[in-house]
Amino acid sequence: MMGGDHTTVFLPRATTTDHLATLDQVVMARVLATVGGPSGSGKTALIGHWITTRSIRMGSNPHDRVVVIALPRGNPTVPMEYTVCLRVWHALQRMAGTHYLIPQRLQHTTYRTYSKRNLEWLSIAVSELLEQCPIRAIVIENAQYLDQCALERVLEWRTWYDEQRGRVVRRALILVATMAERDDPLTALLQTHNEASALWGAHIALTYLNRSEFFPVLGALLDGPLHADFSPALAGQLDQVGETLFRRVQGNWHYVMALLQQLDVALGPPVGRRRRVITPAVLQRVVARRPVWEGMRDGPADPNSKT
């Protein structure tokens, strides 16, 4: 039960097993894959679940690692290529257990400020750390912010130059991006980059929850983190209640998590191991609150969408 613990909950969908298998195959084949969809479609949650279950599912070496970074919006004064290097460098330092040295290393301009020379030094440091850690995949979230130079840099990190065998492919690259149905910048970038286009081995397209998917999710939340049941007073209105809650979350996972927190607060703290009860009064307190998406410039997802 939650009782104030608002940790993000991962709930599988009908397509989750296929998506996990696709990501596993991408790592084995050491190719490039994309995971795309609108904000709130569950991209980050899927990647997190894949990483935490990978060693159990595949029987792989638990020391094989996946490095994950998230990109910020572009800074006009700092090339995205440098931002990618710096974030991967930080992530690898944490994996290597040497992150406590970062403040000391940041005293050097090599790691603190951008210049073409510092970019090359930092890129070399990243390449060396990649060989010291058993990295099997690099995951870049918010990959819609990549430009061509940054993409070429991360493509280089898939490989390592061996004096006898030449360039050897070592790891997969997974790009996670907020993607629109049209005019998607990452897709356009990959399609115009010959190497990336040739390596693009898989695409996972995520969508918002539809009605038929939401109702099992609601049941799983009640049985799991909320540890609650609907009151008998709502027994004849459950379809209407489900529809009301679906319209509130609009199929968006961000809003589902917000609803989870709102219900948890409205239910009050758990008492012992007893299940809490969603009464009409509890439901009214939640429904009376302003939905998260109200006032958003782009508006919510279409509640009538079947995708």
Side-chain angles (χ1 to χ4, degrees), residues 175 184 254 261:
L175 305 179
D184 170 54
H254 294 324
Q261 295 179 18

Side-chain angles (χ1 to χ4, degrees), residues 120-136:
E120 291 307 315
W121 279 108
L122 189 56
S123 181
I124 291 171
V126 169
S127 296
E128 291 177 346
L129 277 171
L130 282 170
E131 288 310 300
Q132 294 170 14
C133 301
I135 304 300
R136 296 296 173 258

Side-chain angles (χ1 to χ4, degrees), residues 11 84 241 286:
L11 297 172
V84 169
V241 169
V286 171

Side-chain angles (χ1 to χ4, degrees), residues 9 11 13 40-42 207-209 217 251-258:
V9 178
L11 297 172
R13 300 167 71 170
S41 57
T207 61
Y208 292 123
L209 295 167
V217 164
N252 185 313
W253 281 105
H254 294 324
Y255 307 157
V256 171
M257 291 300 104

Side-chain angles (χ1 to χ4, degrees), residues 138-301:
I138 298 173
V139 178
I140 299 180
E141 297 185 337
N142 294 334
Q144 68 270 17
Y145 300 137
L146 287 172
D147 57 24
Q148 184 166 345
C149 290
L151 176 62
E152 290 176 355
R153 184 68 66 176
V154 297
L155 286 172
E156 289 179 5
W157 293 333
R158 297 180 54 254
T159 63
W160 178 259
Y161 184 79
D162 184 272
E163 292 183 357
Q164 296 181 346
R165 295 181 293 169
R167 188 65 63 178
V168 179
V169 178
R170 292 289 185 88
R171 54 191 64 89
L173 175 62
I174 300 172
L175 305 179
V176 184
T178 298
M179 290 184 173
E181 292 183 1
R182 299 179 181 178
D183 301 324
D184 170 54
L186 179 61
T187 298
L189 177 63
L190 295 177
Q191 289 176 340
T192 55
H193 191 288
N194 291 337
E195 181 184 359
S197 182
L199 293 170
W200 196 357
H203 174 64
I204 294 174
L206 298 180
T207 61
Y208 292 123
L209 295 167
N210 57 36
R211 284 179 174 80
S212 61
E213 291 176 314
F214 173 71
F215 296 130
V217 164
L218 180 60
L221 293 177
L222 291 175
D223 290 338
L226 285 174
H227 196 63
D229 285 319
F230 284 111
S231 165
L234 294 171
Q237 308 171 43
L238 292 184
D239 288 344
Q240 180 181 348
V241 169
E243 179 66 21
T244 297
L245 296 179
F246 175 73
R247 293 185 65 84
R248 187 172 187 83
V249 301
Q250 303 291 310
N252 185 313
W253 281 105
H254 294 324
Y255 307 157
V256 171
M257 291 300 104
L259 174 65
L260 177 64
Q261 295 179 18
Q262 292 167 3
L263 282 170
D264 185 44
V265 171
L267 283 165
V271 178
R273 302 178 65 179
R274 290 188 299 175
R275 295 179 74 88
R276 296 181 288 179
V277 178
I278 300 177
T279 63
V282 167
L283 188 63
Q284 180 59 37
R285 284 199 294 273
V286 171
V287 173
R289 297 189 56 160
R290 186 183 186 192
V292 177
W293 48 262
E294 274 194 4
M296 292 178 59
R297 181 178 60 184
D298 298 331

Side-chain angles (χ1 to χ4, degrees), residues 30-53:
R30 301 173 186 174
V31 294
L32 183 152
T34 51
V35 179
S39 177
S41 57
K43 301 181 297 295
T44 297
L46 174 67
I47 291 296
H49 180 70
W50 169 65
I51 291 173
T52 57
T53 60

